[in-house]
Amino acid sequence: MIKLSGMNRFTQLFVPFLTLVVILCACEKDADNPTVTDDVNDTIEIVNQSMYNLMKEVYLWYENLPEVNPRTYKTPEDLMDDLRYSPLDKWSSVLTKDDFDSYFVEGKMIGHGMLTSVDDENNVRVAFVYRSTQMYNSGVRRSWIIKKVNGTSVTPANVRSLLGESVAGLQNTIEFIDKEGQTRILTLTKEEINITPVLADTIIEHGASRIGYMVFQDFIESASEAIDGVFTEFRAAGINELVVDMRYNGGGLNDVAVHLAGWLIGKDHAGEPFINYRHNDKYSSWDTTVNVQGNPNGLSLDRIFFIGTRSTASASELIINGMKPFLTSILVGDSTHGKPVGMYAFPFKYFDWVVLPVCFKYTNADNEGDFYGGLVPDLPAEDDLTKDFGDPEEGSFAAILSFIDTGARKASVYKSTRKPK
């Protein structure tokens, strides 16, 4: 835990907390407590002023903050919208404590447990379904078309409103077209979902290759245990190729990313520099380098395939970029989101908000970062919504199988700079 000093101007309202992405961060606590008020307007003014003071200290681009009167904003969200350094920052945010804890700490959400997307013919399809949900247990899988909700035809523009608010107990009668082209009508209830961060995992025999394939969706606290289970099976099966599919993974806790890296390279590169974190010039003392987490039971592969899209962000990109110095890292699909920065979580002591400002940027062991345009794929491929995960005909996975079969190697595929010990 890092104890920070010289920050008393804004830290008296905040409490120490596990950060969203990197390290434990604690702030110096003032002896005098601020006045707590029941007046909503007074509360908003206090929160806004404190958040503005915080941003002027720890924000990566603090020198670009506009001069505003934070007490004139109606909500902290409105203030944050104006404070973001828009040329680069799309991520600094403020959440309620319940929303923050529900996802990042408890791994829960309310809904049907699916992500929808739109195919080339403008059909709304299921992109994925969380395991252990009513929808998954009813047989719904990636690739199914959603035709109607409660009797109304679905379009990309209305699907969200038709499905309704995220309220436990809300029922929807949904007409699907399954992957065989059959109509399936299901009445499903929105529920509190325990997020299952691994959406799918399997071992695929393909010629001389034994491919471990994992669809990884959420860098949340419960993910480390799920990763351990999957990779223990991969190791026992003696896989010689690995595909980590993170096409919709928007990131999360970097501690989980470091844990995953231990399975990928921790056997051969334990203790070597992995990720560098760099803060603004006021807090360069926070700069640190995280080493590869040792894992004697980890894999020992020459290359790893990653599947990414524009929805692949943050901790997912950290893993993809972080692997490059150690082994051949092959990105398949589309360019990633482009978030080479991270946030700390600053919860208020007395009020129901958590402030998440971008506080640092990160680079890999070769000091490569600043990929605001996204990581560019080595093998461009389609995210084929008409096929399930792991289907050998699905666009991105088919590109990997072709690469394995032909031995083709594009000049752009990154060759590692570090050899195993």
Side-chain angles (χ1 to χ4, degrees):
M1 181 176 293
I2 298 176
K3 189 174 184 178
L4 309 177
S5 58
M7 298 171 61
N8 291 343
R9 287 180 295 162
F10 64 86
T11 58
Q12 63 179 1
L13 295 184
F14 297 95
V15 295
F17 200 83
L18 177 66
T19 68
L20 247 187
V21 282
V22 186
I23 52 177
L24 289 173
C25 175
C27 298
E28 191 92 19
K29 181 179 177 181
D30 274 356
D32 297 325
N33 290 330
T35 300
V36 179
T37 174
D38 292 328
D39 185 276
V40 173
N41 291 330
D42 286 349
T43 295
I44 294 298
E45 287 188 10
I46 293 169
V47 169
N48 285 352
Q49 184 65 62
S50 299
M51 186 171 77
Y52 187 43
N53 293 343
L54 173 74
M55 294 285 283
K56 287 193 288 186
E57 291 290 327
V58 301
Y59 189 47
L60 185 61
W61 301 285
Y62 75 90
E63 68 272 24
N64 297 111
L65 286 172
E67 291 292 333
V68 300
N69 181 353
R71 295 178 179 268
T72 63
Y73 287 80
K74 293 182 178 179
T75 68
E77 294 91 342
D78 290 342
L79 174 59
M80 184 62 81
D81 286 343
D82 276 0
L83 294 183
R84 289 190 202 94
Y85 178 53
S86 57
L88 295 178
D89 185 10
K90 297 175 283 187
W91 311 286
S92 293
S93 58
V94 55
L95 301 175
T96 67
K97 287 181 180 177
D98 284 346
D99 286 345
F100 180 88
D101 290 344
S102 179
Y103 180 74
F104 289 102
V105 179
E106 300 168 13
K108 294 180 179 179
M109 61 180 292
I110 293 176
H112 291 307
M114 69 171 171
L115 175 73
T116 62
S117 192
V118 181
D119 67 18
D120 292 340
E121 296 180 356
N122 223 35
N123 294 308
V124 177
R125 290 185 182 262
V126 177
F128 74 75
V129 186
Y130 282 113
R131 296 170 170 178
S132 302
T133 60
Q134 182 191 20
M135 180 172 282
Y136 187 92
N137 291 331
S138 298
V140 180
R141 295 295 184 268
R142 172 182 164 87
S143 81
W144 285 29
I145 296 173
I146 303 175
K147 294 297 290 185
K148 294 181 180 180
V149 174
N150 301 322
T152 301
S153 295
V154 166
T155 69
N158 71 8
V159 62
R160 179 170 295 187
S161 61
L162 290 180
L163 289 169
E165 297 180 358
S166 297
V167 177
L170 188 152
Q171 283 192 336
N172 286 309
T173 298
I174 306 175
E175 180 179 318
F176 297 96
I177 306 295
D178 67 18
K179 62 182 179 181
E180 283 80 29
Q182 301 299 310
T183 298
R184 302 277 298 274
I185 299 176
L186 300 171
T187 297
L188 301 167
T189 303
K190 291 195 174 185
E191 57 189 324
E192 183 177 81
I193 296 164
N194 289 317
I195 294 170
T196 48
V198 175
L199 299 179
D201 63 280
T202 188
I203 296 168
I204 300 166
E205 302 287 346
H206 181 78
S209 299
R210 179 168 291 176
I211 306 168
Y213 175 83
M214 177 181 73
V215 184
F216 186 55
Q217 178 57 30
D218 301 277
F219 285 87
I220 57 177
E221 285 192 1
S222 61
S224 292
E225 183 178 353
I227 290 168
D228 291 346
V230 171
F231 278 87
T232 297
E233 292 182 6
F234 285 173
R235 179 172 175 80
I239 65 167
N240 53 18
E241 299 281 7
L242 176 65
V243 178
V244 180
D245 189 338
M246 299 189 290
R247 69 183 76 195
Y248 307 124
N249 191 320
L253 298 169
N254 279 25
D255 283 349
V256 177
V258 173
H259 184 77
L260 174 57
W263 277 103
L264 302 179
I265 56 174
K267 181 179 180 180
D268 296 327
H269 298 281
E272 295 183 36
F274 176 48
I275 297 294
N276 305 304
Y277 298 109
R278 299 293 179 259
H279 302 76
N280 70 34
D281 56 6
K282 291 186 179 183
Y283 292 98
S284 58
S285 61
W286 294 7
D287 292 353
T288 188
T289 295
V290 175
N291 294 334
V292 176
Q293 187 176 89
N295 186 342
N297 297 315
L299 304 180
S300 184
L301 300 174
D302 295 325
R303 67 185 181 190
I304 296 176
F305 296 93
F306 295 100
I307 297 177
T309 67
R310 283 294 182 183
S311 297
T312 304
S314 194
S316 301
E317 294 172 302
L318 182 151
I319 282 288
I320 297 169
N321 191 54
M323 288 299 107
K324 290 181 177 181
F326 299 98
L327 43 68
T328 300
S329 175
I330 303 173
L331 177 59
V332 183
D334 197 358
S335 295
T336 62
H337 179 71
K339 184 176 182 286
V341 295
M343 297 96 79
Y344 292 134
F346 293 87
F348 281 87
K349 286 181 182 177
Y350 308 104
F351 308 114
D352 187 35
W353 280 281
V354 180
V355 184
L356 299 118
V358 169
C359 294
F360 59 88
K361 62 180 181 179
Y362 63 84
T363 62
N364 66 17
D366 288 343
N367 290 314
E368 295 172 317
D370 293 331
F371 46 85
Y372 291 98
L375 298 169
V376 178
D378 306 295
L379 296 176
E382 179 185 6
D383 176 19
D384 186 356
L385 290 164
T386 69
K387 304 291 191 303
D388 202 355
F389 295 123
D391 188 319
E393 296 184 0
E394 189 278 318
S396 295
F397 192 49
I400 292 172
L401 296 180
S402 176
F403 187 99
I404 291 172
D405 290 342
T406 62
R409 183 180 297 276
K410 287 182 60 176
S412 62
V413 173
Y414 195 104
K415 296 182 179 179
S416 64
T417 59
R418 287 165 170 74
K419 301 300 180 185
K421 291 180 181 179

